Structures are given as structure tokens and as C-alpha cells.
């Protein structure tokens, strides 16, 4: 039998095993050539039960541990999926291993990263946030590793990078799946050797930094497609923590609503109105593609209009005005200018909305306060 190269290729990931309420479930990947058992293509299976020889924890201990993990930092939940994530976060906080947070946009990855940092032995050291999708490769490299004076056009003075600023603490690499291909081997070397090299110098210096990364992408699929380095993925995913979407944990919505409303300073009357059973039921039936971030925005609108508004899907039918672009510029330069304009306008509007209060603005934007201050300095804005 003749096999084509595509049929003969073996994928890096054959199957995945997930822990669920009813037990462990193994599922094969959809890529060819697939997984076969006795000549039959295998899709998925579920474990029948616990091994009789496996030691079991006392039921009281299991119940106590589950009760302990209904909150972690600012996160709150009672669902099995979310509490399993809390257990992993607690284990991650007790060590210095690199953590990869995976989940859809708005599931609370930045808050989870901050909670892990605050529960760790590095809690009193810096916590810095770098959005890997917000800058072009040349500026992102300087943002991460710093540069010497004259390293490139516009480098008028020496600059310390985020890894140096976070020395002794934690650096949170948000949207790591957007990291440009040319920077992936450089980050890999940092993770392996725990040392960095500023742009414009050949000397390396050690850094003592704990790395937490997050992405809304399926990094394993990105590895399979050749868009993300497999060795970097394995370096990042030492402790992998999936964050479930809101539709997977609708039973948590009442608790999340109470926590959000308390943070927004809702009055007792507003709390009564927005935690009424019929209103919570409507919230639980909504889709929430933006997850907790979208829920928070909806509750904030309810407070503004003093009404329990009906959650609705975003309007995708209205036409979007085209943006003017200068095609005479390179793609990288055009993208950089667009991002700078967006950052400036967004941060300016965010501060105006919250009366110049940086802490309140950062919380509303689901952004670390230190990172917001960095954006303010970068764009010459005053709080």
C-alpha cells in the first residue's frame, strides 16, 4: 500500500485527557492520519472508574479542599471546572515554575496571573504586564529586554526592559500566542538560561523572574500548524491552567455578579435589584461571548441607567466605517502607528470615564495598574 507524505505524517499531539465531573475523558485529535485501535479509528473514550489500587483521599479531606477553593484572589466560583483551575493556581503559587493560562477572551487570565503572583513568595516583588500582541517585533523586543543608547533609530537613551524591571518578581506575558516568530527563540533562551541581552549589546545578564503567560489561542494547534515553536510551548506549559468560559460555568454567575457589583460600589437597592432571581436567570441564559469581561460591562451599564437591562447580543448588522490607511508605509510602520493611536485614544477615554482614577480605570479595563501607568507615561498622558 502506498501512503502519501500527508497520510504518513505523525502529529505532535495524538490525544488529550481532560478531568471532568464524571471522570477522565480522552479525545483523539482530528488531524490525519488519526489514531487507530485494532484497525478502527478511535475518537474518544471515558475512564470506567478509579483503579482499586489507587490510594484515595478521605472524603472529609476532599470536601475541605473543595471548600477552600471557592475563591482565589479576586476570582470566585463554585463550579467544578473553575474550582479545578483554582486548585492548579494554588499549586502554581507554591512554586516558581512557568505557568501557561489558556482560555477565551474575558475569562480572567490577567486576574488569575495577578492572584498567583500575590499568593506566591514573590508577592512583595514587582508584577509587570507585557501585551505581546500590542507592539511590532522591534518595539516588543525592546519592551521585553531593553536597549542601549543608539541601538536603533530613536533609541536616544538606555532603557531597562520588563524582564529587568520585574527582577525578583513576576512578568506576565499576555497574549503569548501573538509573539512574532523572530522573538520566539529569544524568549526560549531566556526561559532556558534565565538571562537576557539588551538590544545593542553582546553581554548577557542574569534575571530572577517568574514567567506567567496567557493566550486565547489553542497553542497546540498553532504548534501543529507551524506558527508556534514546539520547544517554546513546552517551556511555557510547565504548569498549564485552562480557564473555563462563562457558558461552561453558569452556576457561578450569581457569585460573580455579587463580586462585581461590590467592586463597582453598588448601593444596597441596586444590589437587591441586580441579584433578583429572575434577573440572574436571564443572565445565566445569555451567551456571553466576551465572558466575565462582557458581564462586568453589562452590569456597569445597569448601574449607569439604574435598571436591570436585558442582556443582548452585539449588533453585527450595522456597517462599520472603513479606516483610512497609508499604503505608502511599510506594514510594520503602519501597524505600529495604528496601535499607538488606539492605545492613546483608549487610555485617554478610559481615564475620562473614571474621573482620572487610575486604580478604578485599570480594574474596569481588566488591566494591571502598573501596566496602565506605563501606557500613560508612554503616551504622555496625566492621571
Amino acid at each position: 500500500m502506498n501512503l502519501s507524505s500527508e497520510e504518513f505524517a505523525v502529529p505532535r499531539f495524538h490525544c488529550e485527557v481532560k478531568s471532568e465531573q464524571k471522570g477522565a475523558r480522552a479525545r483523539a485529535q482530528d488531524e490525519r492520519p488519526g489514531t487507530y485501535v485494532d484497525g478502527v479509528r478511535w475518537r474518544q473514550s471515558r475512564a470506567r472508574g478509579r483503579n482499586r489500587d489507587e490510594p484515595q483521599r478521605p472524603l472529609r479531606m476532599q470536601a475541605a479542599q473543595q471548600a477552600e477553593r471557592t475563591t482565589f484572589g479576586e476570582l470566585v466560583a463554585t463550579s467544578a471546572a473553575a474550582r479545578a483551575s483554582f486548585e492548579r493556581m494554588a499549586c502554581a503559587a507554591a512554586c516558581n515554575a512557568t505557568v501557561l493560562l489558556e482560555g477565551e477572551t474575558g475569562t480572567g487570565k490577567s486576574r488569575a496571573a495577578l492572584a498567583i503572583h500575590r499568593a506566591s513568595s514573590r508577592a512583595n516583588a514587582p508584577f509587570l504586564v507585557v501585551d505581546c500582541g500590542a507592539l511590532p517585533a522591534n518595539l516588543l523586543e525592546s519592551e521585553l529586554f531593553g536597549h542601549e543608547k543608539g541601538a536603533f533609530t530613536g533609541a536616544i537613551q538606555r532603557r531597562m526592559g520588563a524582564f529587568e524591571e520585574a527582577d525578583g518578581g513576576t512578568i506576565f506575558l499576555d497574549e503569548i500566542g501573538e509573539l512574532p516568530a523572530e522573538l520566539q527563540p529569544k524568549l526560549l533562551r531566556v526561559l532556558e538560561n534565565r538571562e537576557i541581552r539588551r538590544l545593542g549589546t553582546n553581554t548577557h545578564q542574569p534575571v530572577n523572574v517568574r514567567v506567567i503567560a496567557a493566550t486565547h489561542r489553542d497553542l497546540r494547534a498553532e504548534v501543529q500548524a507551524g506558527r508556534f515553536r514546539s520547544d517554546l510551548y513546552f517551556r511555557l506549559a510547565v504548569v498549564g491552567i485552562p480557564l473555563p468560559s462563562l457558558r461552561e460555568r453558569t452556576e457561578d454567575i450569581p457569585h460573580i455578579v455579587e463580586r462585581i457589583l461590590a467592586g463597582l460600589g453598588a448601593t444596597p437597592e441596586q444590589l437587591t435589584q441586580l441579584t433578583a432571581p429572575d434577573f440572574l436567570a436571564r443572565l445565566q441564559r445569555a451567551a456571553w461571548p466576551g465572558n466575565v469581561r462582557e458581564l462586568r460591562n453589562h452590569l456597569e451599564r445597569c448601574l449607569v441607567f439604574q435598571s436591570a437591562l436585558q442582556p443582548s447580543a452585539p449588533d453585527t448588522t450595522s456597517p462599520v466605517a472603513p479606516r483610512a490607511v497609508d499604503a505608502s508605509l511599510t506594514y510594520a510602520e503602519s501597524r505600529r502607528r495604528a496601535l499607538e493611536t488606539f492605545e492613546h485614544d483608549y487610555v485617554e477615554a478610559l481615564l475620562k470615564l473614571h474621573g482620572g482614577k487610575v486604580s478604578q480605570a485599570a480594574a474596569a479595563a481588566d488591566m494591571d495598574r502598573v501596566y496602565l501607568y506605563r501606557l500613560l507615561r508612554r503616551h504622555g498622558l496625566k492621571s
Side-chain angles (χ1 to χ4, degrees):
M1 180 174 62
N2 294 325
L3 294 177
S4 67
S5 59
E6 182 182 358
E7 290 172 325
F8 191 70
V10 178
R12 289 185 176 91
F13 302 100
H14 298 282
C15 72
E16 62 179 353
V17 180
K18 287 188 176 182
S19 177
E20 299 178 344
Q21 231 172 349
K22 297 181 180 179
R25 179 170 65 90
R27 182 174 65 85
Q29 300 295 311
D30 294 331
E31 290 85 358
R32 296 178 68 183
T35 303
Y36 289 82
V37 179
D38 292 334
V40 178
R41 185 164 184 172
W42 172 77
R43 295 286 187 182
Q44 67 176 348
S45 61
R46 189 184 298 277
R48 292 184 177 178
R50 180 187 294 270
N51 187 336
R52 294 174 183 263
D53 298 327
E54 181 182 346
Q56 299 186 30
R57 292 177 296 173
L59 292 178
R60 289 183 182 177
M61 185 182 299
Q62 291 183 35
Q65 289 187 351
Q66 288 178 353
E68 290 174 358
R69 295 289 171 249
T70 56
T71 62
F72 190 81
E74 296 180 1
L75 305 175
V76 59
T78 58
S79 64
R83 283 187 289 126
S85 295
F86 291 176
E87 289 283 350
R88 286 180 173 239
M89 292 177 201
C91 292
C95 67
N96 285 314
T98 303
V99 175
L100 178 62
L101 301 169
E102 297 181 282
E104 296 177 5
T105 298
T107 49
K109 297 184 290 294
S110 60
R111 292 178 185 269
L114 183 58
I116 292 172
H117 169 74
R118 288 177 173 172
S120 73
S121 59
R122 298 173 180 261
N124 295 325
F127 176 82
L128 263 70
V129 180
V130 177
D131 189 340
C132 297
L135 295 170
N138 59 330
L139 295 181
L140 181 57
E141 185 173 4
S142 172
E143 181 81 8
L144 290 171
F145 311 128
H147 63 256
E148 295 290 338
K149 181 180 179 180
F152 52 85
T153 303
I156 58 176
Q157 62 183 4
R158 182 184 182 189
R159 184 181 185 280
M160 185 182 293
F163 271 94
E164 286 185 82
E165 288 189 55
D167 194 42
T170 303
I171 184 169
F172 175 47
L173 303 179
D174 199 8
E175 296 302 344
I176 193 67
E178 313 303 319
L179 188 70
E182 58 267 35
L183 289 187
Q184 292 180 22
K186 297 180 180 182
L187 177 59
L188 177 63
R189 284 195 292 271
V190 174
L191 295 177
E192 289 180 337
N193 303 327
R194 296 294 168 177
E195 59 182 18
I196 57 119
R197 180 176 66 86
R198 286 201 195 104
L199 287 172
T201 182
N202 292 322
T203 59
H204 292 76
Q205 60 184 94
V207 287
N208 173 22
V209 175
R210 201 268 180 85
V211 176
I212 301 177
T215 180
H216 72 280
R217 295 184 180 274
D218 183 347
L219 280 193
R220 290 185 302 177
E222 296 295 299
V223 171
Q224 295 280 67
R227 292 186 291 265
F228 201 86
R229 292 178 63 113
S230 60
D231 47 4
L232 177 57
Y233 169 75
F234 289 118
R235 277 289 179 183
L236 290 169
V238 176
V239 180
I241 304 179
L243 272 66
S245 64
L246 200 54
R247 62 182 173 276
E248 295 175 291
R249 46 183 293 220
T250 54
E251 63 266 44
D252 292 335
I253 286 180
H255 307 283
I256 296 172
V257 167
E258 289 181 7
R259 179 65 63 93
I260 291 174
L261 291 174
L264 292 174
T267 64
E269 294 77 13
Q270 291 171 328
L271 279 171
T272 301
Q273 182 184 28
L274 298 179
T275 56
D278 59 335
F279 179 66
L280 291 176
R282 293 206 306 269
L283 296 182
Q284 288 176 309
R285 289 193 296 269
W288 304 118
N291 293 292
V292 179
R293 182 182 294 123
E294 184 182 359
L295 174 61
R296 178 189 176 88
N297 292 341
H298 180 75
L299 292 173
E300 195 165 3
R301 284 194 297 272
C302 291
L303 294 179
V304 170
F305 293 106
Q306 300 288 319
S307 175
L309 302 174
Q310 176 72 26
S312 58
D315 183 12
T316 58
T317 60
S318 56
V320 178
R323 297 178 180 176
V325 295
D326 186 356
S328 65
L329 299 173
T330 64
Y331 168 77
E333 177 62 18
S334 182
R335 183 174 184 269
R336 182 188 68 79
R337 292 188 183 187
L339 285 170
E340 284 188 352
T341 301
F342 164 75
E343 279 188 354
H344 178 279
D345 293 348
Y346 178 81
V347 171
E348 188 176 44
L350 181 68
L351 281 178
K352 184 178 179 181
L353 178 64
H354 296 279
K357 298 177 182 178
V358 176
S359 297
Q360 185 176 334
D366 198 15
M367 180 190 300
D368 182 68
R369 187 180 62 208
V370 175
Y371 185 61
L372 181 54
Y373 274 118
R374 288 165 66 91
L375 290 178
L376 290 172
R377 291 197 301 269
R378 180 185 300 163
H379 296 287
L381 298 172
K382 294 182 180 181
S383 59

